[in-house]
Amino acid sequence: MVENTKFITHLDILRMPSPEEEIIGKIGKWIASAKPDKDKIATIIFKKNTPTEILKLYEKNYDLIPFPAHKEYKIEK
């Protein structure tokens, strides 16, 4: 018997990810870091070789990030 079932139920394992979760998963693989400004809104910093497809996906879906984030982003140097 699993003792810590407070957050995960047996059916959660079988659940398909939502389209939003898939988008966040694609974007998340390319994020190098996120730095908050004085207003606690993050600027996302992408890895150096991030494909333009991912950057465009972020621009369209930045509001799906699970914390406040600017639409503008930076790329690692």
Side-chain angles (χ1 to χ4, degrees):
M1 181 173 168
V2 178
E3 292 193 20
N4 191 5
T5 58
K6 184 176 181 182
F7 300 107
I8 299 174
T9 65
H10 298 290
L11 294 178
D12 283 344
I13 295 169
L14 302 176
R15 185 179 65 82
M16 293 292 292
S18 69
E20 292 83 7
E21 290 169 329
E22 288 182 11
I23 291 169
I24 291 298
K26 288 179 185 178
I27 294 170
K29 292 177 185 176
W30 291 97
I31 294 176
S33 66
K35 296 186 178 184
D37 60 15
K38 64 181 180 184
D39 297 324
K40 297 184 180 177
I41 300 175
T43 298
I44 303 297
I45 300 173
F46 284 97
K47 295 177 184 175
K48 213 183 262 190
N49 299 324
T50 304
T52 55
E53 171 190 327
I54 299 298
L55 299 175
K56 288 179 182 179
L57 191 63
Y58 174 78
E59 288 175 349
K60 291 179 186 174
N61 298 288
Y62 75 96
D63 57 330
L64 295 177
I65 301 294
F67 49 83
H70 292 287
K71 183 176 184 176
E72 296 78 27
Y73 57 84
K74 294 182 179 180
I75 298 177
E76 267 184 334
K77 294 182 181 181

